[in-house]
Amino acid sequence: MLRDAILLKLLAKLLTICVIYADQTRGLMRSVSAHLAAHKLDPPPSPRRLAQLAALKRQVGELVAAKKYAANVDKFGAKFDDELQALLAELRKQALREWNLAHLLARLDFNNFWQLQQCRADEPPLPPPRAAAAPRAARDS
């Protein structure tokens, strides 16, 4: 099934991205958990608790921003998409020779989302819209 060196290499890249992303997420969650564990909250029916929760929310937001988590999610998301599309493209090529790869491809792209993404990427960009012509009455005067 996945005995081809090209497919194995693409799959290894995809799995590496997943492992690195999971490791970074685990590190962030350790930091957030340690921060939350260090702050004790008042019992629930208390206006002071609401202020404490607001302060913790702000502090955790700053911690997440300091770790640049949103930028990492975007970066890893783009890398994952690129590698997955490369894997699917190679599967499409090799599915002509091996029927079981066609089944794997159908399962990975069950709703044709990735195939449509690839088609959009292959299309040339649309030309910018032309300026509208001036109304005839304005040109004649």
Side-chain angles (χ1 to χ4, degrees):
M1 186 169 173
L2 288 177
R3 294 179 295 250
D4 184 69
I6 295 171
L7 288 176
L8 289 173
K9 182 178 177 184
L10 290 169
L11 185 61
K13 283 183 182 181
L14 195 63
L15 293 175
T16 300
I17 291 168
C18 292
V19 168
I20 293 170
Y21 173 74
D23 187 49
Q24 287 192 354
T25 301
R26 183 179 55 221
L28 174 70
M29 292 313 299
R30 280 186 187 148
S31 300
V32 169
S33 295
H35 185 76
L36 292 176
H39 295 83
K40 298 299 177 197
L41 297 174
D42 286 354
S46 160
R48 185 168 171 216
R49 180 182 173 93
L50 294 176
Q52 289 173 331
L53 287 173
L56 274 175
K57 179 181 174 183
R58 182 183 42 77
Q59 292 168 358
V60 167
E62 290 170 359
L63 182 64
V64 170
K67 299 252 183 198
K68 298 178 179 149
Y69 186 69
N72 284 339
V73 168
D74 291 340
K75 180 178 76 172
F76 282 113
K79 283 183 180 181
F80 180 86
D81 289 351
D82 292 343
E83 292 300 328
L84 183 59
Q85 285 183 359
L87 177 65
L88 292 174
E90 187 62 30
L91 279 173
R92 278 188 203 94
K93 287 181 197 174
Q94 294 194 19
L96 300 173
R97 293 181 288 166
E98 293 187 48
W99 64 270
N100 55 353
L101 292 180
H103 288 281
L104 178 61
L105 178 63
R107 287 177 182 251
L108 289 173
D109 196 13
F110 66 95
N111 61 358
N112 290 331
F113 174 79
W114 295 107
Q115 189 171 6
L116 292 174
Q117 292 291 98
Q118 185 63 39
C119 289
R120 286 187 193 126
D122 292 343
E123 289 177 358
L126 294 174
R130 295 189 314 192
R136 185 177 187 102
R139 283 187 278 163
D140 293 339
S141 46

